Each structure stands twice: as C-alpha cells, then as structure tokens.
Amino acid sequence: MAAILPTFDMLLFGGTGDLVTRKLLPALYRRYADGQVSEESRIYGIARSMLTRAEYIAQAEAGCREFLGPECNAQAWSNFSRLLDYSRIDAGSPADYAVLAAALAERADIVRVFFLSTASTLFATIAGNLAAAGMVTAASRIVLEKPLGNDVASAELINHQVGMVFSEGQIYRIDHYLGKEAVQNLMAVRFGNALFEPLWRRGMIKHVQITVAEELGVERRGEFYDNTGALRDMVQNHLLQLLCIMAMEPPASRDPDAVRDEKLKVLRALRPLHARDVLTKTVRGQYRAGSVHGVAVPGYLDESDIAPDSTTETFVALKVEIDTWRWAGVPFYLRTGKRLQDRLTELVVTFDDVPHPIFEKPPPSEAANLLVIRLQPDESITLTILAKNPGEGMRLKPVNLALDLGETFKTRSLDAYERLLMDTVKGNLTLFMRRDELDAAWRWIDPIITGWHEYDDKPKSYIAGSWGPSASSALIGRDGFEWHDEL
Ligand code: BG6
C-alpha cells in the first residue's frame, strides 16, 4: 500500500470528456483503492452539461467499469464516489465559477489541483476566470494537457497568459509518456548501470529507432485529430520526449530542473528540418480501409468528423540528427501511426559491427548487436548478441538475452496518470515539461509543417493493419537500414 497523501481538491475541467472518463477517474479510483487518497479529498468533474451529482457519478462509474473491468469493486467504488462531485461551468463564463469558488473557500489552505483536460485554446480563459473568482491559492497547481498550442506562437501566448496567473513552479505541462513505468525504467537502465554509458555514443551505436505504433484509429476524437495530425499529436511531445531520454547527457541529480535542463539541450541540438528536407527526411501517411488483426476497419476519410478531402497525416516517419559530440553521425529514426499492424512502443539501439571480422560473416540482417527496449504492450529489455551456432565450423547466430519486466517483478505497474496525478498533489515537477522545453519542441516541429505546405507534400496512403506507407521503409532504406519489424 502506498503512503497516504495530504488532503486535496482536484478539479477536472473537461469532466465529461474522453480523458477524464477513460484515464483520470479510473486512475484516481485506483490510487484511492490503494489507500493513497484521504477520505477528506474531493474530486470535481467540471463541464458544461446539465448534470446532477448523482448523474455524474453514474457516468463516472460506467467509465471505470468499462476501463477497469472487475478491478472496479462495488464497495470500494461506493466509498470512492463519496469524494466525487460535479459542477456545471461554461469555461468562458466568469459568473459560472462562483458556486464552486464558494464551495472551495473553506478549504483554501489545502492542495488544489486544476486539471485542464480541454482544448488548449481554453487554457488562458480558464486560468483568468479562476483568478477572477479568487480560486487560485498559494497551494494551487494547474495541469495542462497536451498538445499545448498548435505552433510556437500559440504555445507562447498560452504560456504567457497562464503565466500571469500561475508561477512556473505551479504549472504542470503533462506528457503522459513521461509517467509510464517503462519510460522511468529507461532512465533506470541508462543511469543506474555503468555498463551502457561507454557504449551510448557515436562510434559504438550505428542508429536508433523509436516506434510508437497504435492499432487504434481516431476513435471518438475525429474533430480534434483532423485539426491536429500525428506530428502534433504524438511527435511534438511523446516521441521527442522519448528521444530526449534516450539521448540526454546524464543529469547531475534527479532534481526536476537537472533532468529538464538535459532534455532541453537535446531539443536545442536537433538539426532543423528546413524546407526541402521534408521530402527526404520525413514521410507522411494516411490510412485507407483495411483490417487490423482480422477485423475490417474503415479508412481515415470515412471516420466520423473527418473532412472528406482531409490531408491530415495519421502516420509520420522522420530521420532526426542530433548535432552534439555524442551523437554526430548517428541517425535517429522516429515513426508513429494509427491503425498499424500492432500496438507497439519500442526503442531499438543498433550497435556497430566488429571492426575486424574473424568469423564467417552472418547475413547483414543477423549481423548486429541490438538492444531492444520495449515499453508497450509488454515491458521488456532484450539484448541480441552473436553466439556460436552449435555443430561444426564457426558460424555465428544471433541469440537473445531477454528480460521480461512484468514476469520479473510480478506486480502491476502504475498507469501513467496514476503516477502523474499523485505527483501534482505531491508537488513533484520532474515528469512534467518546462516552458522552455515545450518551446524548443515546437521550434523544431514548426518548420516541418511549413515545409509540408511549401512542397505540397500530401500524405501517402497505407492500408490499415500494415506498418505504414512503403516510403517509410524507403526512408530508412536509403541509409542501408531497416525497421526492426522488417528484419
Ligand atoms: C495521446 C494521443 O496523447 O496518446 C492519442 O493524443 C494516442 O492519439 C495516445 O492514442 C497514446 O497513448 P498510449 O498511452 O495509449 O500509448
């Protein structure tokens, strides 16, 4: 059982939305069932719908049952539901905040977390209205869901406006990948073992691949997705954060700023992809009808709330270079997409060949030492080494040293939101993005989008259930490499 946290009030804006229902309330329920949330804490769903408290609790319960299954226990749920309340607020209407402000007024000294799970265009308005209603106390924090803004300029404006109400130390910019157990484990592997550090550089590593593949399509988020696309939805945040953790220098400590300073240096060292580069170093894709694990699925353009002539990308592959002494000349290949063959998040480090082979050469696809760190669906670390094939002669074969982390620790990992929500209560900013990180990420992303427009680079179509457009294989193939699943 986890240690109990100080009593808090948590206010979930976008309280009837997908994220709150699928992730935040189940995460809070789990932390409550595990004894970490005090009975005096309160959780408010906040949205525009006319709902009574009882109706909101019924909705929340249905969501928890759907997403947690039998883990959502009747007795524990009934106890947890006593913490829940609902407040009808139109985010843009200052007068609507008064009732909630009055309800919270007597608890002004406890931790107060405003979680904004709304479009980022509302962040500044909500922050301003919270301040005007006198709801922002010294013990308040604001949590901003990604994507924060649409480009550098919009992100800067939001940061500036929210920054007029909350200090930087009170702003928690969420990227839920940073809360995943497996991502933490990546830090543990890199910085808890002396073994890897001497190998983690040019001259030892040939290239690195980062894949975040999803089987899901756009689900109920068509309108949001069509205005966003895979580059902004996944690369600007999740993939770049994974890249930072892979590539950063060892921080001097686990202090939030020590870690964030190192990630920022990576973001600032990314070689810009300007104009024509997009044609050779990026691939955009969009899925057409196909089948995923034997189930027929529609194409992107036939999903609900998608413009029939949409050119939004549902897949991106990129070649990324990092201009530092450690990484000069080592390409990082990133790809992500919806409706791909499998759900898979994987980091693959391909080490250099031996400088002088004395054994019969194995075929190129078998020749490499690989370190595969799998984050989803299961967590594992596999190191491929070459060993002697039994029998006569001296033929080498790749064999795996494989560690299944689920099997080894035999315990359920915390869901990313469980950890991150509790971190907001504890006041731990380590796993949240600082303003300058976000700015640096957008500064690298914006020219790619401009380049796509300038060169009218339309997405290439791929069949749902595949690994993306063939141009993605060609992108990495031009450098003489293959994606790990193609080996
Ligand atoms: C979200 C994206 O940030 O991450 C979604 O907006 C995506 O489009 C999701 O499906 C993937 O998260 P996970 O934790 O399921 O890998």
Side-chain angles (χ1 to χ4, degrees), residues 19 26 28 40 65 219 232 234 237-238 257-258 277 286 289 296 303 309 313 328-329 339 354 372 400 418 456 462 469:
L19 185 75
L28 288 163
E40 294 72 34
R65 291 205 180 286
E219 308 302 296
R232 291 187 177 103
M234 296 295 286
N237 31 76
H238 305 326
D257 280 330
D277 291 337
Q286 188 185 78
E303 303 268 20
D309 55 351
E313 78 286 351
R339 289 282 190 236
V354 291
V372 180
N400 289 340
E418 290 178 63
D456 197 22
Y462 62 96

Side-chain angles (χ1 to χ4, degrees), residues 271-282 444-457:
R271 185 175 303 171
L273 293 179
H274 283 307
R276 279 193 77 81
D277 291 337
V278 298
L279 301 178
T280 50
K281 295 185 180 172
T282 77
W444 188 75
I445 291 287
D446 272 5
I448 302 176
I449 297 170
T450 311
W452 283 347
H453 286 144
E454 216 168 292
Y455 287 88
D456 197 22
D457 189 21

Side-chain angles (χ1 to χ4, degrees), residues 338-396:
K338 298 220 176 263
R339 289 282 190 236
L340 297 182
Q341 190 169 317
D342 278 314
R343 176 170 186 243
L344 178 73
T345 301
E346 201 174 70
L347 306 151
V348 182
V349 179
T350 303
F351 291 97
D352 264 326
D353 299 328
V354 291
H356 169 64
I358 58 167
F359 302 113
E360 202 180 305
K361 259 194 159 175
S365 62
E366 294 192 351
N369 289 134
L370 298 180
L371 178 68
V372 180
I373 303 177
R374 181 173 285 189
L375 292 87
Q376 291 180 154
D378 46 325
E379 290 172 40
S380 62
I381 301 176
T382 306
L383 180 64
T384 307
I385 58 166
L386 294 175
K388 182 184 171 305
N389 201 24
E392 276 199 33
M394 233 359 212
R395 277 207 322 112
L396 303 193

Side-chain angles (χ1 to χ4, degrees), residues 1 24 76-77 104 121 130-131 245 282 290 300 333 336 386 451 456 459 468:
M1 243 195 194
L24 304 189
W77 174 267
L104 297 183
T121 43
L130 290 172
I245 296 175
T282 77
Y300 179 70
Y333 301 98
T336 183
L386 294 175
D456 197 22

Side-chain angles (χ1 to χ4, degrees), residues 217-227 287 297-308 310 314 339:
V218 293
E219 308 302 296
R220 288 175 289 173
R221 302 157 71 227
E223 193 187 334
F224 158 79
Y225 196 87
D226 209 31
N227 286 317
Y287 61 86
V297 294
Y300 179 70
L301 297 179
D302 295 319
E303 303 268 20
S304 45
D305 300 325
I306 304 296
S310 169
T314 61
R339 289 282 190 236

